[in-house]
Amino acid sequence: MATFREISDTSPIRVACVGGGQLGRMMALEAPRLGIQMKFLDPGGVKCPAAQIVPSSSIIEGGLKDGDKIRELSKSVDVVTVEIEHVDVETLEALEKEGVNVQPSGQVLRTIQDKLVQKTHFQSHGIELPPFADTPSKDAIKQAAVTLGLPLMLKSRKGGYDGRGNAVLKTSEDADIEAALASLGCKDTSAPDLGVYAEGWIDFDCEVAVMVVRSANGSETSSYPAVNAIQQNSICRVVLAPARNVSLERREICERLAKKAIESLGAKASGVFGVELFVTNDGKVMLNEVAPRPHNTGHYTQDACVISQFENHLRGVCGMKLGSTKMVVEAAAMVNVLGAPSGTSEDTLKSSNAALAMPTAVVHWYGKQGCRAGRKMGHINLTGSSQAELDGCLSELFALEGIPVSLMPGGRLASSPLVGVIMGSQSDLPTMNAAIDMLKKFKVPYEVDIVSAHRTPDKLMSYSRGAADRGIRVIIAGAGGAAHLPGMVAAMTPLPVVGVPVKTSTLSGVDSLYSIVQMPRGVPVATVAIGNAMNAGLLAIRILSTHKAELRQEMKDYQDEMSEMVEGMSSKLLDLGSDEFLNQMDNKNKSVNV
Amino acid sequence: MATFREISDTSPIRVACVGGGQLGRMMALEAPRLGIQMKFLDPGGVKCPAAQIVPSSSIIEGGLKDGDKIRELSKSVDVVTVEIEHVDVETLEALEKEGVNVQPSGQVLRTIQDKLVQKTHFQSHGIELPPFADTPSKDAIKQAAVTLGLPLMLKSRKGGYDGRGNAVLKTSEDADIEAALASLGCKDTSAPDLGVYAEGWIDFDCEVAVMVVRSANGSETSSYPAVNAIQQNSICRVVLAPARNVSLERREICERLAKKAIESLGAKASGVFGVELFVTNDGKVMLNEVAPRPHNTGHYTQDACVISQFENHLRGVCGMKLGSTKMVVEAAAMVNVLGAPSGTSEDTLKSSNAALAMPTAVVHWYGKQGCRAGRKMGHINLTGSSQAELDGCLSELFALEGIPVSLMPGGRLASSPLVGVIMGSQSDLPTMNAAIDMLKKFKVPYEVDIVSAHRTPDKLMSYSRGAADRGIRVIIAGAGGAAHLPGMVAAMTPLPVVGVPVKTSTLSGVDSLYSIVQMPRGVPVATVAIGNAMNAGLLAIRILSTHKAELRQEMKDYQDEMSEMVEGMSSKLLDLGSDEFLNQMDNKNKSVNV
């Protein structure tokens, strides 16, 4: 059995981190709780974001590729780790030979640092990837245009991030190749090795990210849930957790592939790895890129998971037991705060200051020196008990940050219903409307549709199978006669299904009731009274309230109101006497004005 | 409309805090995200817990009652606040006169610092309190023993915390009074003012705490949920949020009283206030004490609420908009880590190191210099989607921390069922057992009881009204014939009720079905097929899974298993042909061995 490093006061764990930007800073904010002491090397010195969180003696000013400074940083620590992969790997490898504990190891960083080496490694370990080719020369690029087809992605092997180091090649004409290379910073296009490689064009449906975390001895590997990684101009703008519009099965495929990829890097691939994936239009999952450190797409874990990616990175590289990667909330989102077009921090802070008043938002401002248009200056996490609960704040933040809603999965926002109200025929709508009225009254987001078991069996299947992944939590289904809809839906979803037997002219709805309620063992339908869709709506609300104390309170208030209403009627009856009461009774509502 | 201070990079908010212990440290861990810069005054200087989180130049070494040091701390800051009330108030008041912004104000601290002044203030503002009397002399103590009765609590007016400064007086004999005064540190018992006061003895059912937060201009006041504050030897040991065994109504009374008390302190009562309350055996709510700062009973907010007490304290004292005090999880707990009896940090860290492996735990170690038996060295927060989910980890932590389970509300642990299975008569148990089997299979905690609408109407009422507050989330009720139980329960709870019509000999259960399903508008019962309690169990699980993705996945797996079982039967039928299949059929189970 592996032994894990523990928290100790007598010999506190000392971690040195190459880089003191926002990622290092957010590690430093988690470290003290575990008795971990951190040191940082950063070119910004005491002005770097991490420097605001540690004693001044724990900051070394220097470049991330300055071997001497890395050596200085590594003195008297237990572990050396990184917050960025673009560092001096040679020195880290030399230190390892001298007995310094580098996590993840220099070898792992070396593999990841050069994207061509990274791709080649993953390909040789059976990880699905977009096709790629080494293109050291212009001729090789032309050859790749033939074998991989056009358009082609040209990528710098080293140093790229946030879309920098990527260029799209539309034709294989010399002028286009020259232009693409120029945009990648290749000045001498006849150099013996251009330092670029080519990737085949992937028509992907969406980009997904998975944070994988491993303990230093490789004995534990776990992953956070797959999330939507929504990019704008090649920069991560929004993360939705768990991923919307991606089925649970596909999310699990993403998580398995991500773990397999990181495990292929060996026992010294420790700490957190940000794994970016493509889900293609035909449903395949492919690895895009890996970052050997906490990642922008994992920031939501700070407020949405038991243990954040930053704490788990520290636990992993220190050889401690990994913490739970589970979400404590049902839904989360992260919006990056980018430097405003004006480049001023006043303008940039507008979304964060607005978020201070949002009921589901947590503001993470990085305290970076020097605001610039487009620079990552902070992020805002949202958490809620359903996707629907986040959409209001998301929509405000999109407007403030200038993010088009069209980037959202499915291209829309504020459209995440919790309850699906369906019926076998439009003739059921007058009955079913009473359920909708209740959902409106309690402000529960819903959708309404016609799904006929007998006339639209394909829609029945796709609706039932897809509902949970779309964020639906309760389905209310109404049908009359040989009322198969509720039971068939229940057979194809794990969600609770409430069945409303619609009254029929031939058998007064007893046929509907029996069809809906007499389900076989294994597949339940929650059946309400004949024609009583109002109760179906109330039942859906009671179901949603099982994990939402406020909604439970609203239901209690509603019950108290009903009591008072009946008491009002009772007083009126006592006042008027039964004869006069009958006189005044409105026969339609069976009620008297109180 | 009040204007609120905002996050700014060009003029970051600078907060000076008197005291740099664990409370200051936990503020310092939240401040950077809001662009707030903190400074601390602490006798421990750079060795105090807060010093590990801020640049070294932000620490001033000095006593909390050292006026000169407080003056030094207050230079070039926007706000001066405190993490402890036992500070030099005179200097704070003088600084306020000179224009320094002290939040909460010296006047508020002065009122709270002297418990007799505090009690007198709250009494004059109509806040319910235990009876008390000023007892400047031994004679006054004897008089109080007559007016307030014995036993009597003698309390130091100033400086008490964690039970220090409290003594119980059982008789009014001179020797007992002398002993009590000695334990309170009164050396000269004939001094003109002993500095103590007396409180009448309160037989309380439990202690509850509410964190109240106010913005600096007094324009916003909100509260976190009422929690159980469980003490051992007068030190807070465990907090459960929301409070268990306290009804929602009573919790709301606690929250209202706490807010009213803090509002009575005026517009300069800003930031977080820890309000301790008694719920008496006869159901009354009384104020116990108030602390003008984040409080031990509010530590759970770090991992359980949208915005923690520490961030909200900073927001409050800085004049920023207050953040949401809502819980993001359904249940939380906090266990204090006290210095082990041996006084070594190795022994003390055992519970924290064990918690690193717990699925719901977050460890908060304070990094204090000098471990001592009984000293607060850290705390562990637990969060989950139900109280039941926490009880396993709580039980382990109780054992590790030497906390007797008898301190828990109701005196037990691991007893928080999510589903209540009830039936009108023991004769229904053979039917209802199929629901219990499903709950066992899916590892959902449940309880089983007999509740008869017609034979135990009082129990029906108390069961139905109390279920939600006890943590029950779904009720499964089975009954036969004039089956009133499910509907009557549904009338008295906001929870979803699943009704099982038990088969009858006279009408085959059609009587039960109609009694259960044909509920009037306003009160739904989720009805399943006659005698099909298995489906009732499965429906309860589907209901609970609406906010628990894992459970939803388990339900899908179960549905896949059912598919496979039927497919197995189908293969067998194809293999054997229908004649032989019928031959081999076990007539009891209507099935063939596959």
Side-chain angles (χ1 to χ4, degrees), chain A residues 368-383:
Chain A
K368 283 185 182 177
Q369 298 279 323
C371 187
R372 276 199 316 271
R375 191 178 189 201
K376 289 178 183 171
M377 299 301 289
H379 69 269
I380 296 162
N381 284 336
L382 303 176
T383 60

Side-chain angles (χ1 to χ4, degrees), chain A residues 5-10 25 28-29 32-35 51-57 248-249 252 303 306-307 311 315 320-324 326 328-330 345-346 349 352-353 355-365 367-368 377 383 385 465 468-469 473-474 490-497 510 513-514 517-530 532 534-536 538-539 542-550 552-553 555-556 558-559 562, chain B residues 5-10 25 28-29 32-35 51-57 248-249 252 303 306-307 311 315 320-324 326 328-330 345-346 349 352-353 355-365 367-368 377 383 385 465 468-469 473-474 490-497 510 513-514 517-530 532 534-536 538-539 542-550 552-553 555-556 558-559 562:
Chain A
R5 178 108 191 211
E6 297 197 325
I7 306 172
S8 166
D9 247 20
T10 45
R25 172 187 169 103
L29 284 168
R33 289 190 291 100
L34 304 177
Q52 295 161 25
I53 325 292
V54 292
S56 315
S57 58
L248 183 57
E249 280 78 9
E252 287 175 343
D303 298 297
V306 181
I307 299 297
E311 176 171 343
R315 289 198 194 196
M320 299 172 87
K321 186 124 185 61
L322 299 182
S324 168
K326 285 201 183 128
V328 295
V329 293
E330 183 75 0
S345 67
E346 287 74 12
L349 272 161
S352 299
N353 279 315
L356 291 178
M358 293 181 187
T360 61
V362 183
V363 174
H364 296 260
W365 182 249
K368 283 185 182 177
M377 299 301 289
T383 60
S385 63
R465 292 248 158 86
D469 285 330
R473 290 295 167 261
V474 185
M492 291 183 282
T493 180
L495 299 174
V497 176
V510 175
L513 172 63
Y514 285 175
V517 77
Q518 287 299 105
M519 287 293 290
R521 282 187 298 160
V523 182
V525 169
T527 310
V528 297
I530 296 168
N532 195 339
M534 177 184 179
N535 275 8
L538 290 168
L539 185 56
R542 287 191 185 213
I543 288 171
L544 292 173
S545 84
T546 52
H547 289 77
K548 206 164 156 85
E550 293 153 74
R552 216 150 55 229
Q553 185 54 42
M555 180 56 70
K556 281 190 83 169
Y558 171 76
Q559 290 174 292
M562 281 197 298
Chain B
R5 178 106 192 215
E6 296 198 328
I7 305 173
S8 166
D9 247 19
T10 44
R25 172 186 170 103
L29 284 168
R33 288 191 291 100
L34 303 179
Q52 295 160 26
I53 325 293
V54 292
S56 316
S57 59
L248 183 59
E249 280 79 8
E252 288 175 343
D303 298 296
V306 181
I307 298 298
E311 176 171 344
R315 291 200 193 193
M320 299 172 87
K321 185 122 184 67
L322 298 183
S324 167
K326 284 200 185 130
V328 295
V329 292
E330 181 75 357
S345 66
E346 286 75 12
L349 272 161
S352 298
N353 279 314
L356 291 179
M358 291 180 187
T360 61
V362 183
V363 174
H364 297 259
W365 183 250
K368 284 186 180 175
M377 299 301 290
T383 61
S385 62
R465 293 249 157 87
D469 285 330
R473 289 298 167 260
V474 186
M492 291 184 281
T493 180
L495 299 174
V497 175
V510 175
L513 172 62
Y514 284 175
V517 79
Q518 287 299 108
M519 288 292 291
R521 282 188 298 160
V523 183
V525 170
T527 309
V528 296
I530 296 168
N532 196 340
M534 179 183 176
N535 275 7
L538 290 168
L539 185 56
R542 287 191 185 213
I543 289 171
L544 293 173
S545 84
T546 52
H547 289 77
K548 207 166 156 81
E550 293 153 74
R552 215 149 56 228
Q553 185 53 40
M555 181 56 72
K556 281 191 85 169
Y558 171 76
Q559 290 174 290
M562 280 197 299

Side-chain angles (χ1 to χ4, degrees), chain A residues 520-587:
Chain A
R521 282 187 298 160
V523 182
V525 169
T527 310
V528 297
I530 296 168
N532 195 339
M534 177 184 179
N535 275 8
L538 290 168
L539 185 56
I541 292 155
R542 287 191 185 213
I543 288 171
L544 292 173
S545 84
T546 52
H547 289 77
K548 206 164 156 85
E550 293 153 74
L551 203 54
R552 216 150 55 229
Q553 185 54 42
E554 285 172 45
M555 180 56 70
K556 281 190 83 169
D557 295 343
Y558 171 76
Q559 290 174 292
D560 291 344
E561 269 170 44
M562 281 197 298
S563 258
E564 277 166 36
M565 238 174 56
V566 177
E567 287 295 348
M569 221 36 84
S570 155
S571 307
K572 193 87 184 180
L573 176 57
L574 284 173
D575 273 6
L576 298 179
S578 53
D579 290 342
E580 182 55 27
F581 191 91
L582 275 171
N583 257 347
Q584 291 190 18
M585 195 186 263
D586 166 355
N587 273 318

Side-chain angles (χ1 to χ4, degrees), chain B residues 14-253:
Chain B
R14 296 154 304 169
V15 176
C17 182
V18 183
Q22 69 262 30
L23 300 177
R25 172 186 170 103
M26 291 187 277
M27 286 181 214
L29 284 168
E30 309 267 19
R33 288 191 291 100
L34 303 179
I36 293 174
Q37 297 172 355
M38 292 198 75
K39 276 168 73 177
F40 293 93
L41 168 65
D42 196 89
V46 292
K47 291 188 169 175
C48 76
Q52 295 160 26
I53 325 293
V54 292
S56 316
S57 59
S58 302
I59 296 293
I60 295 173
E61 186 171 331
L64 309 183
K65 299 201 171 176
D66 181 332
D68 291 342
K69 293 288 184 180
I70 291 178
R71 281 195 167 272
E72 188 187 335
L73 176 77
S74 308
K75 278 182 196 145
S76 314
V77 298
D78 296 282
V79 192
V80 178
T81 190
V82 298
E83 61 135 34
I84 184 166
E85 53 278 27
H86 306 305
V87 299
D88 172 12
V89 170
E90 286 69 24
T91 299
L92 291 175
E93 287 179 330
L95 286 167
E96 283 181 279
K97 285 198 188 118
E98 296 162 26
V100 175
N101 181 20
V102 179
Q103 300 284 352
S105 72
Q107 176 58 42
V108 169
L109 295 176
R110 184 184 286 284
T111 303
I112 288 171
Q113 207 178 48
D114 183 326
K115 287 189 194 171
L116 179 62
V117 177
Q118 184 190 137
K119 301 266 164 182
T120 308
H121 168 89
F122 288 130
Q123 190 180 47
S124 73
H125 284 78
I127 308 292
E128 278 128 86
L129 296 166
F132 66 93
D134 186 10
T135 54
S137 65
K138 276 167 50 181
D139 281 348
I141 293 173
K142 287 182 186 172
Q143 183 57 39
V146 175
T147 52
L148 302 179
L150 286 165
L152 198 65
M153 285 296 286
L154 279 186
K155 296 190 176 183
S156 300
R157 288 173 58 171
K158 286 192 178 185
Y161 68 99
D162 284 352
R164 281 178 236 195
N166 291 358
V168 180
L169 191 66
K170 288 186 180 157
T171 81
S172 54
E173 284 167 30
D174 274 318
D176 284 347
I177 294 176
E178 298 276 345
L181 287 171
S183 81
L184 296 178
C186 298
K187 277 161 196 158
D188 177 8
T189 59
S190 58
D193 188 346
L194 295 168
V196 302
Y197 74 103
E199 267 186 40
W201 191 262
I202 296 294
D203 262 330
F204 57 83
D205 178 56
C206 66
E207 288 188 72
V208 163
V210 175
M211 298 299 109
V212 173
V213 58
R214 291 188 93 211
S215 52
N217 46 30
S219 68
E220 288 187 306
T221 306
S222 57
S223 83
Y224 289 91
V227 299
N228 299 111
I230 299 170
Q231 320 275 327
Q232 185 184 23
N233 305 325
S234 302
I235 295 181
C236 174
R237 284 303 257 140
V238 180
V239 165
L240 303 172
R244 301 190 194 183
N245 277 30
V246 181
S247 72
L248 183 59
E249 280 79 8
R250 193 139 293 127
R251 295 207 304 270
E252 288 175 343
I253 293 170

Side-chain angles (χ1 to χ4, degrees), chain A residues 417-451:
Chain A
L418 282 173
V419 178
V421 181
I422 57 176
M423 56 209 82
S425 156
Q426 67 286 352
S427 64
D428 302 323
L429 186 56
T431 299
M432 298 305 289
N433 198 46
I436 297 167
D437 280 344
M438 286 300 110
L439 297 170
K440 280 182 191 159
K441 181 181 168 70
F442 283 85
K443 297 193 179 60
V444 171
Y446 63 88
E447 61 175 23
V448 186
D449 204 353
I450 296 168
V451 179

Side-chain angles (χ1 to χ4, degrees), chain A residues 216-228:
Chain A
N217 45 30
S219 68
E220 289 188 306
T221 306
S222 56
S223 83
Y224 288 91
V227 300
N228 300 111

Side-chain angles (χ1 to χ4, degrees), chain B residues 336-355:
Chain B
N336 266 344
V337 177
L338 300 187
S342 71
T344 68
S345 66
E346 286 75 12
D347 287 343
T348 305
L349 272 161
K350 276 183 185 156
S351 58
S352 298
N353 279 314

